[in-house]
Amino acid sequence: METDLLAKAREYEAKYGSLITAEERPVYHVTPTVGWLNDPNGLSYYDGKYHLFYQYNPYATAWDTMHWGHLVSEDLLHWKRLPAAMAPAEPYENYGVWSGSAITAPDGRHLLIYTAVEDSLNEDGSRKFLQTQCLAFGDGVNYVKYEKNPVITPDMLPEGSSSMDFRDPKIWYEEEEACYYSVIGSSTEKYGGTVVLFRSPDLFHWEYVSTLDKSNNAYGYMWECPDMFRLGDTDFITFLPMKMFAKGLEFHSGNNAAYVTGTYDRKNHTFIRRNIFSLDYGIDFYAPQTMVTPDGRRIMSAWMQTPETKEAVMPGAKWFGQLIFPRELSERNGKLIQRPLRELEACRKDPVFYEDVCVMDRTRLPGVEGRSVDLTVRIRPAGGEMYRKFIVRIAEDEEFYTSFTYDPAESLLSFDRSYSGFMHYILSERKAHVRYRNGEIELRILIDRYSVEIFVNDGEQTMSNTIYTRQTAKGISFEAAGAAVIDVEKYTIQL
Ligand code: FRU
């Protein structure tokens, strides 16, 4: 069975994936071999290489019965496509092999832990989608499902937990205890979304340990794709609160990506929450997952799209779905700092620098344009007087543009892709509170052909957005209401 479905997917992607040219893809962002991609899965370092899997439907640019796509890399920048790693072949996963993570097993095999979804009928004829956690072992290319799957089932959860919303195991190994742990997303009748902790001495036998944090009906009914890690003196849990109400400018309505900071008591396995924040202030950011590199950096990937905008496929597209450019995580003042993976710096070509340029009317600077760009702009008031607004436009031509506008009086940074040439009526604007830092605002803007990611004030906040503007729209311009002074640092990114 497995061999049939997997062989079919591998054959299909080999045939149709090779028809997609490099020019039709982003320069430095990951896309599926062919068809649809959502969450990054199984981000890990195995046998001398980075492995990255993803939720994958090769057959259409739409979400459907999930497979796992697969890529490997030596530097998290240049990726080589491998054949699909898993197909939904077993009866207990007939609705898809959903998100999960990876680790090296004690015997040296690569272990994938994932959510299997089984579509069956209740006695009254209604459909049930049972979600269980399963294992597959492999050599970095071919994977075999564990014959005693599943290893974690919803009946192991506290009473009142859902069996249809229990997914996305993120595994790690605790050296000191010689024990595996996994956080898993869950949903309860009483409290809404929760993050639960499981542990196993051997990967095969698991037990429920504790509930680390919960929505308390304030942050959605279900928490998907949890992850937990420590940076500095702070413990972080990232997760996706589903179907929540908007809260100020921090969270929009619907499905969000959030993180809580706090203290995890490693003995009693309790988590005391200090704060909750949005993980990204753009429109297209969902399903993050982290890993630690051999040199000790905590790296995060994520799906650069959301369930809300998943229909926004451009006509004729052969692929749909991108991942963010990998980010290095650190902690500053109890908050998460996200910076682009430093390896990108080796791919910066054709530097262009400007210092102390006074901007009033819409200004273009020679050499500052392009659709594969690493651009940093530092914005200060000219003289003593604060400007009223500062606008950066990118992917601009006579008809289209995407803009970032900073309003210092309101401390607001607004993203707007309303005029970027989308053929769908979708969410196009988002605003975030952004404060001055050392007398200026710094925006590092990573433009790739179909996206723009912005890093505010050295990674204090990020905004991830897709744009599908025609590639000939390459302009970048600056404009101030009042007068502002800027420094600009611009590179072309070439892998
Ligand atoms: C998040 C998610 C996960 C699930 C997967 C299914 O985007 O809904 O919770 O495992 O996608 O594709």
Side-chain angles (χ1 to χ4, degrees), residues 361-373:
D361 298 335
R362 197 184 286 205
T363 305
R364 285 211 177 172
L365 298 173
V368 179
E369 60 164 32
R371 288 292 283 274
S372 177
V373 164

mmCIF file with all atom_site columns, all heavy atoms in Angstrom, residues 361-373:
data_model
loop_
_atom_site.group_PDB
_atom_site.id
_atom_site.type_symbol
_atom_site.label_atom_id
_atom_site.label_alt_id
_atom_site.label_comp_id
_atom_site.label_asym_id
_atom_site.label_entity_id
_atom_site.label_seq_id
_atom_site.pdbx_PDB_ins_code
_atom_site.Cartn_x
_atom_site.Cartn_y
_atom_site.Cartn_z
_atom_site.occupancy
_atom_site.B_iso_or_equiv
_atom_site.pdbx_formal_charge
_atom_site.auth_seq_id
_atom_site.auth_comp_id
_atom_site.auth_asym_id
_atom_site.auth_atom_id
_atom_site.pdbx_PDB_model_num
ATOM 1   N N   . ASP A 1 361 ? 9.423  64.534 -1.122  1.00 0.00 ? 361 ASP A N   1
ATOM 2   C CA  . ASP A 1 361 ? 8.564  63.961 -2.162  1.00 0.00 ? 361 ASP A CA  1
ATOM 3   C C   . ASP A 1 361 ? 9.040  62.555 -2.515  1.00 0.00 ? 361 ASP A C   1
ATOM 4   O O   . ASP A 1 361 ? 10.145 62.173 -2.175  1.00 0.00 ? 361 ASP A O   1
ATOM 5   C CB  . ASP A 1 361 ? 8.618  64.825 -3.419  1.00 0.00 ? 361 ASP A CB  1
ATOM 6   C CG  . ASP A 1 361 ? 8.095  66.214 -3.116  1.00 0.00 ? 361 ASP A CG  1
ATOM 7   O OD1 . ASP A 1 361 ? 7.314  66.329 -2.164  1.00 0.00 ? 361 ASP A OD1 1
ATOM 8   O OD2 . ASP A 1 361 ? 8.521  67.153 -3.808  1.00 0.00 ? 361 ASP A OD2 1
ATOM 9   N N   . ARG A 1 362 ? 8.203  61.845 -3.258  1.00 0.00 ? 362 ARG A N   1
ATOM 10  C CA  . ARG A 1 362 ? 8.543  60.464 -3.609  1.00 0.00 ? 362 ARG A CA  1
ATOM 11  C C   . ARG A 1 362 ? 9.911  60.414 -4.302  1.00 0.00 ? 362 ARG A C   1
ATOM 12  O O   . ARG A 1 362 ? 10.126 61.094 -5.303  1.00 0.00 ? 362 ARG A O   1
ATOM 13  C CB  . ARG A 1 362 ? 7.470  59.876 -4.522  1.00 0.00 ? 362 ARG A CB  1
ATOM 14  C CG  . ARG A 1 362 ? 7.560  58.363 -4.559  1.00 0.00 ? 362 ARG A CG  1
ATOM 15  C CD  . ARG A 1 362 ? 6.599  57.739 -5.523  1.00 0.00 ? 362 ARG A CD  1
ATOM 16  N NE  . ARG A 1 362 ? 5.212  57.766 -5.054  1.00 0.00 ? 362 ARG A NE  1
ATOM 17  C CZ  . ARG A 1 362 ? 4.294  56.906 -5.461  1.00 0.00 ? 362 ARG A CZ  1
ATOM 18  N NH1 . ARG A 1 362 ? 4.598  55.953 -6.315  1.00 0.00 ? 362 ARG A NH1 1
ATOM 19  N NH2 . ARG A 1 362 ? 3.058  57.006 -5.032  1.00 0.00 ? 362 ARG A NH2 1
ATOM 20  N N   . THR A 1 363 ? 10.811 59.616 -3.732  1.00 0.00 ? 363 THR A N   1
ATOM 21  C CA  . THR A 1 363 ? 12.206 59.621 -4.166  1.00 0.00 ? 363 THR A CA  1
ATOM 22  C C   . THR A 1 363 ? 12.651 58.229 -4.546  1.00 0.00 ? 363 THR A C   1
ATOM 23  O O   . THR A 1 363 ? 12.414 57.277 -3.794  1.00 0.00 ? 363 THR A O   1
ATOM 24  C CB  . THR A 1 363 ? 13.112 60.063 -2.976  1.00 0.00 ? 363 THR A CB  1
ATOM 25  O OG1 . THR A 1 363 ? 12.637 61.317 -2.508  1.00 0.00 ? 363 THR A OG1 1
ATOM 26  C CG2 . THR A 1 363 ? 14.566 60.166 -3.371  1.00 0.00 ? 363 THR A CG2 1
ATOM 27  N N   . ARG A 1 364 ? 13.297 58.118 -5.691  1.00 0.00 ? 364 ARG A N   1
ATOM 28  C CA  . ARG A 1 364 ? 13.952 56.845 -6.040  1.00 0.00 ? 364 ARG A CA  1
ATOM 29  C C   . ARG A 1 364 ? 15.445 57.076 -5.989  1.00 0.00 ? 364 ARG A C   1
ATOM 30  O O   . ARG A 1 364 ? 15.930 58.126 -6.415  1.00 0.00 ? 364 ARG A O   1
ATOM 31  C CB  . ARG A 1 364 ? 13.557 56.422 -7.442  1.00 0.00 ? 364 ARG A CB  1
ATOM 32  C CG  . ARG A 1 364 ? 12.144 55.884 -7.474  1.00 0.00 ? 364 ARG A CG  1
ATOM 33  C CD  . ARG A 1 364 ? 12.011 54.844 -8.532  1.00 0.00 ? 364 ARG A CD  1
ATOM 34  N NE  . ARG A 1 364 ? 10.670 54.298 -8.498  1.00 0.00 ? 364 ARG A NE  1
ATOM 35  C CZ  . ARG A 1 364 ? 10.211 53.472 -9.410  1.00 0.00 ? 364 ARG A CZ  1
ATOM 36  N NH1 . ARG A 1 364 ? 10.974 53.103 -10.420 1.00 0.00 ? 364 ARG A NH1 1
ATOM 37  N NH2 . ARG A 1 364 ? 8.991  52.999 -9.316  1.00 0.00 ? 364 ARG A NH2 1
ATOM 38  N N   . LEU A 1 365 ? 16.181 56.108 -5.495  1.00 0.00 ? 365 LEU A N   1
ATOM 39  C CA  . LEU A 1 365 ? 17.632 56.257 -5.405  1.00 0.00 ? 365 LEU A CA  1
ATOM 40  C C   . LEU A 1 365 ? 18.277 55.319 -6.426  1.00 0.00 ? 365 LEU A C   1
ATOM 41  O O   . LEU A 1 365 ? 17.929 54.124 -6.454  1.00 0.00 ? 365 LEU A O   1
ATOM 42  C CB  . LEU A 1 365 ? 18.115 55.895 -3.995  1.00 0.00 ? 365 LEU A CB  1
ATOM 43  C CG  . LEU A 1 365 ? 17.561 56.794 -2.877  1.00 0.00 ? 365 LEU A CG  1
ATOM 44  C CD1 . LEU A 1 365 ? 17.947 56.247 -1.509  1.00 0.00 ? 365 LEU A CD1 1
ATOM 45  C CD2 . LEU A 1 365 ? 18.080 58.223 -3.045  1.00 0.00 ? 365 LEU A CD2 1
ATOM 46  N N   . PRO A 1 366 ? 19.186 55.848 -7.262  1.00 0.00 ? 366 PRO A N   1
ATOM 47  C CA  . PRO A 1 366 ? 19.827 55.001 -8.268  1.00 0.00 ? 366 PRO A CA  1
ATOM 48  C C   . PRO A 1 366 ? 20.405 53.728 -7.648  1.00 0.00 ? 366 PRO A C   1
ATOM 49  O O   . PRO A 1 366 ? 21.034 53.784 -6.582  1.00 0.00 ? 366 PRO A O   1
ATOM 50  C CB  . PRO A 1 366 ? 20.928 55.904 -8.829  1.00 0.00 ? 366 PRO A CB  1
ATOM 51  C CG  . PRO A 1 366 ? 20.423 57.296 -8.601  1.00 0.00 ? 366 PRO A CG  1
ATOM 52  C CD  . PRO A 1 366 ? 19.616 57.246 -7.330  1.00 0.00 ? 366 PRO A CD  1
ATOM 53  N N   . GLY A 1 367 ? 20.133 52.600 -8.286  1.00 0.00 ? 367 GLY A N   1
ATOM 54  C CA  . GLY A 1 367 ? 20.667 51.313 -7.812  1.00 0.00 ? 367 GLY A CA  1
ATOM 55  C C   . GLY A 1 367 ? 19.776 50.628 -6.793  1.00 0.00 ? 367 GLY A C   1
ATOM 56  O O   . GLY A 1 367 ? 19.996 49.469 -6.441  1.00 0.00 ? 367 GLY A O   1
ATOM 57  N N   . VAL A 1 368 ? 18.756 51.339 -6.280  1.00 0.00 ? 368 VAL A N   1
ATOM 58  C CA  . VAL A 1 368 ? 17.885 50.732 -5.266  1.00 0.00 ? 368 VAL A CA  1
ATOM 59  C C   . VAL A 1 368 ? 16.586 50.286 -5.934  1.00 0.00 ? 368 VAL A C   1
ATOM 60  O O   . VAL A 1 368 ? 15.647 51.072 -6.113  1.00 0.00 ? 368 VAL A O   1
ATOM 61  C CB  . VAL A 1 368 ? 17.610 51.715 -4.108  1.00 0.00 ? 368 VAL A CB  1
ATOM 62  C CG1 . VAL A 1 368 ? 16.689 51.081 -3.067  1.00 0.00 ? 368 VAL A CG1 1
ATOM 63  C CG2 . VAL A 1 368 ? 18.923 52.129 -3.459  1.00 0.00 ? 368 VAL A CG2 1
ATOM 64  N N   . GLU A 1 369 ? 16.550 49.048 -6.344  1.00 0.00 ? 369 GLU A N   1
ATOM 65  C CA  . GLU A 1 369 ? 15.358 48.434 -6.925  1.00 0.00 ? 369 GLU A CA  1
ATOM 66  C C   . GLU A 1 369 ? 15.587 46.925 -6.989  1.00 0.00 ? 369 GLU A C   1
ATOM 67  O O   . GLU A 1 369 ? 16.683 46.453 -6.693  1.00 0.00 ? 369 GLU A O   1
ATOM 68  C CB  . GLU A 1 369 ? 15.091 48.976 -8.337  1.00 0.00 ? 369 GLU A CB  1
ATOM 69  C CG  . GLU A 1 369 ? 16.226 48.709 -9.315  1.00 0.00 ? 369 GLU A CG  1
ATOM 70  C CD  . GLU A 1 369 ? 15.803 48.887 -10.767 1.00 0.00 ? 369 GLU A CD  1
ATOM 71  O OE1 . GLU A 1 369 ? 14.941 49.737 -11.040 1.00 0.00 ? 369 GLU A OE1 1
ATOM 72  O OE2 . GLU A 1 369 ? 16.323 48.154 -11.612 1.00 0.00 ? 369 GLU A OE2 1
ATOM 73  N N   . GLY A 1 370 ? 14.552 46.186 -7.350  1.00 0.00 ? 370 GLY A N   1
ATOM 74  C CA  . GLY A 1 370 ? 14.723 44.748 -7.543  1.00 0.00 ? 370 GLY A CA  1
ATOM 75  C C   . GLY A 1 370 ? 13.710 43.913 -6.804  1.00 0.00 ? 370 GLY A C   1
ATOM 76  O O   . GLY A 1 370 ? 12.999 44.398 -5.924  1.00 0.00 ? 370 GLY A O   1
ATOM 77  N N   . ARG A 1 371 ? 13.665 42.621 -7.184  1.00 0.00 ? 371 ARG A N   1
ATOM 78  C CA  . ARG A 1 371 ? 12.715 41.696 -6.574  1.00 0.00 ? 371 ARG A CA  1
ATOM 79  C C   . ARG A 1 371 ? 13.415 40.530 -5.869  1.00 0.00 ? 371 ARG A C   1
ATOM 80  O O   . ARG A 1 371 ? 12.777 39.546 -5.505  1.00 0.00 ? 371 ARG A O   1
ATOM 81  C CB  . ARG A 1 371 ? 11.742 41.168 -7.635  1.00 0.00 ? 371 ARG A CB  1
ATOM 82  C CG  . ARG A 1 371 ? 10.721 42.201 -8.103  1.00 0.00 ? 371 ARG A CG  1
ATOM 83  C CD  . ARG A 1 371 ? 9.719  42.582 -7.019  1.00 0.00 ? 371 ARG A CD  1
ATOM 84  N NE  . ARG A 1 371 ? 8.708  41.569 -6.822  1.00 0.00 ? 371 ARG A NE  1
ATOM 85  C CZ  . ARG A 1 371 ? 7.595  41.483 -7.521  1.00 0.00 ? 371 ARG A CZ  1
ATOM 86  N NH1 . ARG A 1 371 ? 7.334  42.354 -8.467  1.00 0.00 ? 371 ARG A NH1 1
ATOM 87  N NH2 . ARG A 1 371 ? 6.719  40.526 -7.274  1.00 0.00 ? 371 ARG A NH2 1
ATOM 88  N N   . SER A 1 372 ? 14.741 40.635 -5.729  1.00 0.00 ? 372 SER A N   1
ATOM 89  C CA  . SER A 1 372 ? 15.443 39.665 -4.884  1.00 0.00 ? 372 SER A CA  1
ATOM 90  C C   . SER A 1 372 ? 16.485 40.472 -4.121  1.00 0.00 ? 372 SER A C   1
ATOM 91  O O   . SER A 1 372 ? 17.628 40.611 -4.539  1.00 0.00 ? 372 SER A O   1
ATOM 92  C CB  . SER A 1 372 ? 16.099 38.588 -5.748  1.00 0.00 ? 372 SER A CB  1
ATOM 93  O OG  . SER A 1 372 ? 16.827 37.704 -4.918  1.00 0.00 ? 372 SER A OG  1
ATOM 94  N N   . VAL A 1 373 ? 16.014 41.046 -3.011  1.00 0.00 ? 373 VAL A N   1
ATOM 95  C CA  . VAL A 1 373 ? 16.749 42.152 -2.407  1.00 0.00 ? 373 VAL A CA  1
ATOM 96  C C   . VAL A 1 373 ? 16.806 42.008 -0.895  1.00 0.00 ? 373 VAL A C   1
ATOM 97  O O   . VAL A 1 373 ? 15.862 41.534 -0.271  1.00 0.00 ? 373 VAL A O   1
ATOM 98  C CB  . VAL A 1 373 ? 16.009 43.482 -2.777  1.00 0.00 ? 373 VAL A CB  1
ATOM 99  C CG1 . VAL A 1 373 ? 16.449 44.631 -1.915  1.00 0.00 ? 373 VAL A CG1 1
ATOM 100 C CG2 . VAL A 1 373 ? 16.187 43.813 -4.252  1.00 0.00 ? 373 VAL A CG2 1
#
